[in-house]
Structures are given as structure tokens and as C-alpha cells.
Amino acid sequence: MKNYIKYTKVLFLLFALGLASCELETSPTDAIEKKEVFKTVAGNAKVLNGSWGQLMETFNTFANPGFGAILRANDAMGNDVVLQTNKYGFGTHYQFSALYGKGGTNSQSWNLAYKTINNMNNILFNVDDAQGDAGERRIVKGQAYALRGYMYLHLASSYTFAIDNNPDAPSVPIYLEPTTAKSQPGKRATVTEVYNQAIKDLEEALALIPEGYARSQKFQIDQNVVLGLLSRANLYARNWEKAKEYSDRLLLKANYLMNESEYKAGFNDVNNREWIWGHPQTPDQSNASYQFHFLDVTSKDSYYYSFNADPYFKELFDEGDYRKSMINWAPDPSADIEKTSVVWMRYGKFKFKAGQIADIVLMRTAEIYLINAEAKARLNNGDAINKLNDVKRARNAALADNVTGNDLLEAIWLERRKELFGEGFALVDIVRNQKTVVRKKYEHEKIEYSYVVKDEEGNEVTKTKTMTANGHYVLNFPDKSPFVANSPYYLYQIPNVEERENPNL
């Protein structure tokens, strides 16, 4: 990590995020501020919120706006997203060459994670001696532990195969103190050790952040967010009882599942009652909104509309499930319907707000229901099917009945695919469950597509034309081998520069 340390020894102060307005200030602090900022609780809070802004808003390329780009990459490498061939962004992820090449997204992921970890280490090293209110100190300290734990959870679940595949597999280094140019780069910890660190950090956060803490904005980490992250981390680490315990606790406090009109509103607003955690956007702070140019495949305001659905994905939904009605064949939103001859399966889940901004969802109650269902299914707890059916009922889907054992687990994993499409879980679920990517070429090359135009008198006229229908076109790995479980093509790679500079890896 020598190269990383050289690069980031002062990065913990690059950005400041205004708490009241959530506006990102990109001017670096001066040397005096670097020395003085940690002397007060308010200064530590400034570093905490600046780190969040850096994590979520940093652009490397147009395809990489912050940590959300990692979530988009994870879905592009799954079963259900079909990347549009002639549109920008994430095509190499869809083809499984992006991560295997060790650059690009690997560097983005590595740098964002370890910059954030180092920022949090600086806070945790200094905040106990900072001047200020003791209650505020606890909250800042707890949030720093939580954000560090979130980063270690990302690293554990992305750089190594499932923990039960090999609990002692080498993963990534763990750093618990601030690094300087003189710091020794770390060796790789095992995947078990990295998961344990993530969980330990999150448990520290849970003990520190009061249950009564009322955050001013939804990007801030409160006790519900920590309970959700603990539920997620323990599920991935296969600690079924703990995953059940934490998700039970959270569902006692936050159990709302959005209705049909809310679901169809565009997944763009942190004020949605089901969102537990999200990153808000404003006209003055909107870098992360760029992700919606990939996710929004139905609005003319969108540039790329490239995250289309596999036609077979629609067949996974029951009749009457309102999510199914949101998935339909359509040409490019900006295309002249009379001139185009190509359609893709468009899932109208994500839509820009006015002004091409959109908030980024990071955690929803539906995920917690499905974590709870999966953990209970592993424990042979009869409530598992009830939690699965709570989500299905909210979406007007057919309820599961008399399903047990592995069939119940498969039903829960399928519901995760349907419910969490586009939210960043596809690749993680494949890896942690030791599954394989499953893609099939769409059998019908041509379809009859109906559309409405206006005639010369302004009357609506329905017309039909034969269109080329697109489905999956990447059906194996770059070396032409078939998709398999536990493939190195699924894993994030330690960047080449890190391997060269860190002799302890």
C-alpha cells in the first residue's frame, strides 16, 4: 500500500460538505486547517461529511461518478441487465473484461475505499480529545466506525470468493490507524478477518449512536442504517443468527414497504418512506445523478439508457405483479419511431427528476425483509416464508406456499433479483452464494411492435411494425469459456500499481 499511502497522506482533508445545505465544496483546506481541524468535534464532523461527499461524488470518468459506479458495475455483471451495445458506459463490465484487467473500476474501488478508511482512521484517532459536546462526539465517532465498516464490507464481499468457499483465503489489507508516508503497507488479511473487522466496526457504531439520534439528512448514518448494515454484513459472512437478530430489530422500527404509485415514481427521492439510507442530490451537488443516464431507460432526458433488462427477466414476474407492467419493449426514448427498427426490454424503474438530478438509493426496507427471510430460512425458522410473502404481497405478486429448504432459499434469491434490480446487489449475490451468471440468447430475433402516432388531423393512430428485439449478447467469458461459479472474472482485483508498490501483499 506504499503507493496508496504516498497518494493519500493528506486526502482526508480534500473536501468539505456543508451539513445544512448538503452542498459539496471542492476547495482544499490549507495547512493550518489540516493541523487544526481535528481539535474540535465540529472539525471532525466536517471531515466525516467531506469524506462522504468525496466517496459519493468523485468523478474518474463519466462512467465512474463515485461509489455508486461500483453498484452499477455489480449489476452490469449479473444475470438480468443487458447493456445496450451502442451506448456509453459499463460495456466492459457486462463483458467481464473490466475487473479482470486490473485497472479502471478496480482502481476506482480501491482508492475510494481506502481513502475513506484513512479518513475515518484520522477521525477515530483524534475525536476523543476533540473539544465539543460529548453527545455529538459519540455520534461522529459512531458514524466514523460505521463508514469504515461499510468500506470493509465492500472489500470483503468484492475481492474474495464466498467466506464458506475458503474462510482463510487472502483478501485485502486492514488498516486501523491513520497512514503517513512513513507507514508500512499492510499484508492481506483473510476474508474472515475482513468480514470480522467490518462487523466489529458496525457493532461499535451501534453502541455509540443513540437510538434517539435524529439525523438532518438521509445520507447521515443513524441507528437504523447501522442495523441494516449489520444485517447485510452478517448475512454475507453467513452468521445467520446475527443476521436474523439485527434484521428483526430493524423491522420492529422500520417495516414500511412502498405502494405501487411510490414504486413507479422513479426511485429518485430520498424522502420515499421505504428508503433507510440514500444520497441526496441538488442542482448544486449532482455528480452522482449522472448514474441515472445509465439507469433511466425510458426518459428522453437520459443520454445513454443502457441498463436494459433481459427479456427472460420479465418472465420471472407473476401476472398481476405491478413490477412486471413496468418492463416493456421500446426503442430508444429519443428515437424517431418511424425510422428506428430496434427495441430493447426497458424497465421503467429509474427516472430522472426535473433538471436531470436523482437521489441514489443505498438501503431499503425490502432488502431487510429479504435478509430476514434468508437468515430464517437458513435457520429453518418458519417465519422465513412470511417475510418473503410480505414483499410479494406489497408488489401484488403471487404468494409462496408450502416452500421449504433449498427451494425456499431459491425463491428468496429470485425475489432479491426482481426487487433489487439496478441497486447494486447482482454480482455480490452471485459470489456470496457461489452461483454462476446465467444468460441466454433471446430466441425471437423479430417482434411485432405496436405504437401510437398522430395523423395530420392530430388524431392518435395505432401502427405496427416488425422490429429487431435485443437480449443478451455476451454469453460467456472473454476467453470463450462458459460461465461458472467461483470464477476469477467475478472478483475485483488489487490494482497493478498497488501490487508493484506493496511488497507485503
Side-chain angles (χ1 to χ4, degrees):
M1 202 166 181
K2 184 178 178 182
N3 184 74
Y4 160 75
I5 292 168
K6 286 180 180 177
Y7 184 63
T8 63
K9 59 182 178 179
V10 295
L11 264 171
F12 59 86
L13 292 171
L14 269 180
F15 293 98
L17 190 65
L19 284 171
S21 64
C22 197
E23 293 179 355
L24 185 66
E25 299 173 8
T26 57
S27 57
T29 58
D30 60 28
I32 294 176
E33 285 178 305
K34 290 172 188 174
K35 183 178 179 181
E36 298 293 322
V37 68
F38 292 112
K39 290 188 175 181
T40 66
V41 172
N44 282 274
K46 179 181 179 182
V47 175
L48 176 69
N49 289 285
S51 301
W52 179 259
Q54 184 185 54
L55 175 66
M56 298 303 295
E57 298 284 326
T58 300
F59 259 99
N60 278 21
T61 72
F62 283 123
N64 283 294
F67 189 75
I70 309 304
L71 305 181
R72 310 291 79 81
N74 288 346
D75 279 323
M77 298 174 69
N79 299 326
D80 304 317
V81 168
V82 177
L83 265 289
Q84 194 156 325
T85 51
N86 62 340
K87 298 298 178 183
Y88 176 78
F90 299 99
T92 55
H93 301 84
Y94 178 69
Q95 299 170 42
F96 293 95
S97 59
L99 300 186
Y100 206 67
K102 291 196 173 184
T105 302
N106 291 297
S107 298
Q108 171 85 337
S109 166
W110 189 267
N111 290 336
L112 285 177
Y114 278 109
K115 288 173 190 175
T116 304
I117 287 167
N118 196 46
N119 295 351
M120 298 308 102
N121 286 342
N122 275 281
I123 292 172
L124 295 171
F125 184 78
N126 289 285
V127 71
D128 284 342
D129 296 324
Q131 298 173 2
D133 181 79
E136 293 177 6
R137 178 184 294 107
R138 284 176 59 89
I139 292 168
V140 170
K141 188 175 181 180
Q143 290 173 334
Y145 271 119
L147 190 49
R148 189 175 75 177
Y150 181 51
M151 290 296 97
Y152 279 124
L153 175 58
H154 160 62
L155 294 167
S157 59
S158 301
Y159 286 80
T160 330
F161 292 125
I163 191 170
D164 52 328
N165 180 65
N166 179 2
D168 298 320
S171 184
V172 299
I174 294 173
Y175 295 90
L176 303 179
E177 295 180 354
T179 56
T180 69
K182 296 181 180 180
S183 299
Q184 283 296 311
K187 65 179 182 178
R188 297 172 73 180
T190 68
V191 63
T192 300
E193 290 170 332
V194 182
Y195 270 119
N196 286 346
Q197 186 60 54
I199 292 168
K200 182 179 179 181
D201 281 349
L202 292 167
E203 288 175 340
E204 292 276 8
L206 189 65
L208 285 165
I209 300 174
E211 185 171 3
Y213 164 62
R215 58 190 173 176
S216 59
Q217 297 196 61
K218 235 171 190 172
F219 77 89
Q220 294 166 322
I221 297 173
D222 64 4
Q223 196 174 94
N224 285 2
V225 173
V226 178
L227 286 170
L229 288 174
L230 277 166
S231 303
R232 189 186 292 177
N234 280 286
L235 186 79
Y236 293 4
R238 302 179 73 82
N239 300 326
W240 313 128
E241 190 62 50
K242 283 291 186 181
K244 168 192 169 297
E245 174 191 334
Y246 287 121
S247 55
D248 272 339
R249 287 176 61 180
L250 180 50
L251 290 175
L252 285 174
K253 302 199 300 173
N255 61 9
Y256 180 79
L257 291 167
M258 69 181 85
N259 58 36
E260 181 174 355
S261 62
E262 291 169 318
Y263 206 96
K264 292 180 176 180
F267 276 75
N268 57 23
D269 192 345
V270 293
N271 295 312
N272 185 303
R273 289 173 59 194
E274 190 184 312
W275 288 28
I276 296 171
W277 195 25
H279 181 58
Q281 297 284 269
T282 67
D284 294 328
Q285 180 191 306
S286 60
N287 281 355
S289 295
Y290 200 88
Q291 294 158 45
F292 266 66
H293 287 296
F294 309 104
L295 294 171
D296 184 346
V297 296
T298 60
S299 300
K300 289 184 178 180
D301 285 345
S302 189
Y303 292 158
Y304 307 127
Y305 30 85
S306 53
F307 271 52
N308 299 295
D310 175 16
Y312 295 111
F313 179 62
K314 183 172 183 175
E315 297 178 7
L316 300 177
F317 293 82
D318 304 310
E319 293 301 324
D321 185 330
Y322 57 74
R323 295 171 297 187
K324 187 171 188 174
S325 68
M326 300 165 66
I327 310 172
N328 297 288
W329 290 112
D332 289 354
S334 60
D336 183 338
I337 189 62
E338 295 283 78
K339 295 179 180 179
T340 190
S341 60
V342 177
V343 289
W344 300 79
M345 189 63 81
R346 313 285 186 178
Y347 190 1
K349 178 176 178 178
F350 300 94
K351 297 183 180 69
F352 272 115
K353 296 180 185 178
Q356 291 188 331
I357 63 173
D359 302 337
I360 308 300
V361 61
L362 297 171
M363 183 187 294
R364 292 194 291 120
T365 310
E367 181 203 354
I368 308 306
Y369 273 94
L370 294 171
I371 288 173
N372 191 266
E374 185 174 342
K376 287 177 176 176
R378 294 285 193 177
L379 296 167
N380 295 314
N381 184 315
D383 191 43
I385 195 168
N386 297 327
K387 292 300 186 290
L388 170 61
N389 281 334
D390 284 339
V391 177
K392 285 178 166 289
R393 187 177 295 107
R395 310 301 174 232
N396 204 33
L399 302 185
D401 185 33
N402 294 323
V403 183
T404 59
N406 192 64
D407 289 341
L408 178 55
L409 282 170
E410 291 288 346
I412 294 166
W413 295 333
L414 176 58
E415 196 61 34
R416 283 180 65 94
R417 286 171 59 187
K418 293 189 290 184
E419 177 66 18
L420 301 176
F421 176 94
E423 297 179 50
F425 295 96
L427 183 63
V428 171
D429 280 355
I430 288 167
V431 171
R432 72 178 179 87
N433 292 317
Q434 300 194 60
K435 295 289 188 178
T436 180
V437 169
V438 178
R439 294 177 181 172
K440 183 171 66 171
K441 183 177 176 62
Y442 189 56
E443 296 174 353
H444 308 287
E445 184 177 345
K446 302 289 184 180
I447 65 166
E448 293 301 307
Y449 178 72
S450 297
Y451 58 99
V452 176
V453 296
K454 289 186 178 181
D455 61 19
E456 294 179 356
E457 285 75 35
N459 300 312
E460 291 188 346
V461 178
T462 300
K463 302 176 72 172
T464 301
K465 64 188 295 186
T466 301
M467 304 280 269
T468 299
N470 287 282
H472 279 305
Y473 55 91
V474 174
L475 306 173
N476 47 38
F477 291 124
D479 63 0
K480 305 305 178 185
S481 63
F483 296 135
V484 294
N486 298 321
S487 169
Y489 282 106
Y490 301 152
L491 293 184
Y492 282 67
Q493 305 291 315
I494 296 176
N496 282 325
V497 64
E498 185 68 23
E499 290 188 337
R500 288 196 306 268
E501 296 290 338
N502 183 352
N504 297 324
L505 287 177

